[in-house]
Amino acid sequence: MPVLIGSGVAISYDRFSWWRAVLALVVALALQVGVNYANDYSDGVRGSDEKRVGPVRLVAAGLAPPRQVLFAAFLCFFVAGAAGLALASVTSWWLVAVGAACIAAAWFYTGGPRPYGYRGLGEVFVFAFFGVVAVAGTAYVQMGRLSWLALAAAVPAGLLACALLMVNNLRDIRTDTLAGKRTLAVLLGDARSRMTYVVTLLLPFCVAALLAFFRPFTLVTALTLPLARIPIRTVRGGALGPALIEALGETGRLQLAFGIAFTIGLAIHV
């Protein structure tokens, strides 16, 4: 979704490059898959997933040896790094530093001696890397420069990524507390985490409405607003456990639909 949005920005400036967009997509997907494998490995060896409520994890469930999961994580990081180097070679070499920061953020989310995901900083880094860096970076590698529109468009992407993480961690408040994993949801508590989720889910529509002063067709994102009704009702209704897994899926579908509509709205410049 953030790669789509960044490409929409590039299209609006008549600077779209399909092959650079594809490479940016490879980077984003490889990092996303890699961070999930890394999270599976780190939480599994720490024992944080022993009483997991959510979907099955490979290491915790004994479905794969930890070393294999670790290898899968670093293989994904290698793919992301290779695609990133290709983009840096035709754009700017300072992107190598950005790529290294992305891989470090992916690993230290739950890896290393002091994982930031265990200290309530997960949403901060998700907003930064799956919002600002992913959207503005995608636009930059196609346009060759940063633009205010790319940075503004990164806000909804980052907020929706945070909504996904929040509803995921809301589901795991009890088990994360027992495991000593102090996510933002654990720090906020159940009621405030539910309110934070609703805010991060609805604010992207407000940002899209504000951007309509410059790109009128971003208002098309309003067509996806009904998709927010079910997950918001589920979360505000106090749902727990498996019901929040369903809300996570609904949030992902909203994120994708919003991203497509937002991309179209950004790309049409009148």
Side-chain angles (χ1 to χ4, degrees):
M1 189 270 278
V3 173
L4 278 177
I5 293 173
S7 296
V9 171
I11 291 171
S12 76
Y13 286 99
D14 297 320
R15 298 295 299 273
F16 175 70
S17 169
W18 70 267
W19 65 270
R20 295 188 188 207
V22 168
L23 282 175
L25 182 62
V26 170
V27 172
L29 286 175
L31 285 172
Q32 178 65 64
V33 175
V35 73
N36 276 280
Y37 276 128
N39 192 17
D40 190 309
Y41 167 80
S42 297
D43 280 347
V45 297
R46 279 193 171 89
S48 303
D49 282 341
E50 289 181 359
K51 297 181 179 180
R52 183 171 174 80
V53 178
V56 174
R57 287 282 184 82
L58 294 171
V59 175
L63 298 175
R67 289 184 65 180
Q68 287 186 7
V69 178
L70 181 63
F71 176 79
F74 279 96
L75 179 61
C76 290
F77 294 156
F78 174 81
V79 171
L85 281 173
L87 282 171
S89 68
V90 295
T91 309
S92 175
W93 286 110
W94 65 265
L95 288 175
V96 173
V98 176
C102 289
I103 293 173
W107 173 252
F108 289 109
Y109 173 54
T110 55
R114 302 186 69 185
Y116 64 84
Y118 281 44
R119 302 168 68 189
L121 294 173
E123 282 77 3
V124 174
F125 280 79
V126 161
F127 182 87
F129 286 96
F130 283 102
V132 178
V133 173
V135 175
T138 297
Y140 177 83
V141 297
Q142 296 178 65
M143 297 167 55
R145 63 183 179 88
L146 288 173
S147 72
W148 71 269
L149 184 60
L151 294 173
V155 175
L159 288 171
L160 287 171
C162 288
L164 277 171
L165 184 58
M166 179 56 69
V167 72
N168 183 75
N169 289 339
L170 173 63
R171 180 198 66 217
D172 296 332
I173 284 180
R174 186 182 66 84
T175 53
D176 283 346
T177 301
L178 292 173
K181 188 176 180 180
R182 296 176 63 79
T183 63
L184 182 60
V186 170
L187 296 175
L188 291 176
D190 185 90
R192 285 185 290 183
S193 293
R194 292 178 190 273
M195 182 55 64
T196 301
Y197 167 78
V198 173
V199 170
T200 54
L201 205 64
L202 294 180
L203 268 182
F205 293 94
C206 299
V207 176
L210 288 173
L211 285 176
F213 287 103
F214 308 96
R215 297 292 188 276
F217 283 92
T218 57
L219 289 175
V220 74
T221 55
L223 295 175
T224 68
L225 187 56
L227 294 175
R229 182 177 62 87
I230 294 177
I232 287 177
R233 184 177 63 187
T234 300
V235 171
R236 291 194 65 191
L240 300 169
L244 288 175
I245 298 176
E246 294 179 12
L248 179 65
E250 295 289 346
T251 304
R253 283 184 279 276
L254 170 62
Q255 182 190 40
L256 181 59
F258 179 96
I260 293 171
F262 195 37
T263 299
I264 293 170
L266 290 166
I268 301 174
H269 186 199
V270 294

